[in-house]
Amino acid sequence: MKHALAINGGAKSCEVSWPSWPMWDDLERQALNAVLESGKWWYGENVQRFERDFAAFQDARYSVSASSGTAAQEITLAALGIGPGDEVIVPPYTFIATASAVMRVGATPVFADILPHNMCMDPADAARKITPHTRAIMPVHLGGYIADLDALGALCNEHHLALVEDACHSWGGKWKGKGTGAIGRMGVFSFQVSKNIASAEGGIVLTDDADLAEIVRSISNCGRTTGGAWYDHVRIGTNARLTEFQAAILNAQLTRLEAHTLRREANGRVLNEGLRQIPGIMIGQEDPRITRRAYHLYPIRLDLEKLGVTRERFVAALNAEGVPASNGYTRPLYKLGVFVNPPEVANRRGIEHDYTQDYCPVCEQICHDTVWLFHTLLLADIEAMHDVVSAVRKVIEHADELQG
Ligand SMILES: *Cc1c(COP(=O)(O)O)cnc(C)c1O
């Protein structure tokens, strides 16, 4: 019985108590209290400092903070002047915001498939999806992997499109030495509570273009302009401002981001080496152009046919061994109700695309066979990574005991 799967009554292979998330200490506690006591709760030195420091951390010139990653995406697309009649190419393997932000500005998301080895947008499929209406390409750096920014950047240059990075999984990521989110025309990050730095809600837009930064700022601040009168509103804006409380937390979180990123990366390498040896699973390929990898999610693909199990049973068995894992995205975005429910479709104005005809085979397969490990697991110590590898190996070797 000693080697039986934990789900079948055997001993667990992993007794690690995983780091909990979010993480905080006296730094957050004191910073929050200082904001509270100052009475300056809004648009003060914490927001300014975070905008400056995060932009520097990712190698961008300008930044505008926002109330969420979703809001940051919407104001980015609005600032680029994208609207009704325009198309934006996005991947279908991502959080809904990547596509819903496009629809919120009245434009049409067009899905390009992802690549099997990195789960990021396939530049060749993106090229096939370009039409005279395309205005931007918005790849997602899935799980902290980085989409092929060379190929996508070249495509954008050739067709005069804006490259917008959805870097909401890529804090600290570097492509050929430069920070993600600062490589495309614009980049967007989220600080929602599950993300690698967190303030409950929050987001930021990065760009090297001063004019665009000013427009994003204006849209995020009710259409005001820098230096303008308080009740002068020059364009259609919204309120997407970050508070001093959130910025105070983010300033504290940012002091740990570098060390956390390096630790996740070192642990990620240990996982890569161990898991690569195990038959029946597939992990992402290394790309030497990714000079620092953020590791928000650690995806593992299962050869379900060979293993003869369902993904759900595999996840349950892995959880029982003491390894937190989940299914991740189980459907390509274009299969979600917002794209295919008749009442939603009827409510859409200007978006004529029939999403029931969409089919991205790689994404469909990955939605079916992929398991995610969460980034907090990568903050444990190196020995815990060996336990994870042993747990995965054990479940794989005993996969026949998971049938039925
Ligand atoms: C989290 C996330 C967003 C949106 O961020 P919120 O802050 O939750 O609004 C956008 N894109 C991706 C890929 C995300 O994971």
Side-chain angles (χ1 to χ4, degrees), residues 28-49:
E28 277 83 353
R29 211 170 273 124
Q30 281 157 15
L32 273 178
N33 203 45
V35 172
L36 183 74
E37 301 284 343
S38 76
K40 174 79 178 143
W41 291 359
W42 183 77
Y43 248 26
E45 61 188 45
N46 281 284
V47 169
Q48 277 171 22
R49 183 176 138 204

Side-chain angles (χ1 to χ4, degrees), residues 21 23-24 28 197-198 249-257:
W21 196 260
M23 266 182 200
W24 71 91
E28 277 83 353
I197 64 171
I249 296 184
L250 288 169
N251 284 323
Q253 300 262 308
L254 190 55
T255 63
R256 299 185 200 99
L257 181 56

Side-chain angles (χ1 to χ4, degrees), residues 116-345:
H117 70 271
N118 67 7
M119 307 187 183
C120 296
M121 187 184 281
D122 175 358
D125 201 38
R128 284 190 286 273
K129 299 290 163 67
I130 293 173
T131 75
H133 303 290
T134 310
R135 295 283 314 282
I137 300 182
M138 185 154 62
V140 175
H141 302 320
L142 199 277
Y145 207 92
I146 303 177
D148 186 340
L149 291 174
D150 291 356
L152 292 168
L155 202 57
C156 285
N157 286 342
E158 186 188 337
H159 295 272
H160 308 288
L161 310 174
L163 178 62
V164 179
E165 295 173 71
D166 180 339
C168 288
H169 294 180
S170 190
W171 327 256
K174 285 185 192 287
W175 176 260
K176 301 198 296 194
K178 190 175 183 193
T180 49
I183 294 162
R185 189 102 195 278
M186 306 180 88
V188 175
F189 291 80
S190 163
F191 311 118
Q192 179 266 347
V193 73
S194 69
K195 310 296 170 109
N196 294 20
I197 64 171
S199 55
E201 301 286 2
I204 205 165
V205 180
L206 303 185
T207 182
D208 282 348
D209 183 323
D211 295 335
L212 270 176
E214 171 58 26
I215 298 171
V216 174
R217 174 76 69 198
S218 172
I219 295 173
S220 77
N221 189 18
C222 312
R224 295 185 171 100
T225 48
T226 305
W230 187 245
Y231 287 120
D232 191 18
H233 305 270
V234 302
R235 57 168 64 78
I236 303 173
T238 187
N239 176 359
R241 296 180 301 245
L242 194 71
T243 68
E244 281 288 287
F245 294 101
Q246 292 160 306
I249 296 184
L250 288 169
N251 284 323
Q253 300 262 308
L254 190 55
T255 63
R256 299 185 200 99
L257 181 56
E258 174 101 17
H260 277 182
T261 304
L262 295 175
R263 171 174 275 236
R264 287 192 194 92
E265 204 180 30
N267 279 337
R269 277 196 216 101
V270 175
L271 279 188
N272 295 345
E273 266 151 44
L275 295 176
R276 220 190 297 289
Q277 320 292 328
I278 302 178
I281 63 173
M282 196 174 94
I283 57 164
Q285 269 168 27
E286 304 288 335
D287 182 335
R289 296 171 299 178
I290 300 177
T291 46
R292 193 161 77 183
R293 189 165 153 191
Y295 286 100
H296 175 55
L297 309 165
Y298 189 100
I300 302 173
R301 294 190 62 194
L302 307 173
D303 188 340
L304 294 170
E305 228 164 276
K306 182 169 167 185
L307 297 171
V309 293
T310 64
R311 185 242 319 261
E312 287 63 28
R313 284 288 283 164
F314 186 93
V315 166
L318 206 52
N319 288 338
E321 294 299 332
V323 177
S326 73
N327 295 331
Y329 307 129
T330 57
R331 283 189 287 173
L333 288 190
Y334 54 77
K335 289 202 165 164
L336 297 177
V338 48
F339 294 104
V340 293
N341 274 353
E344 274 303 318
V345 173

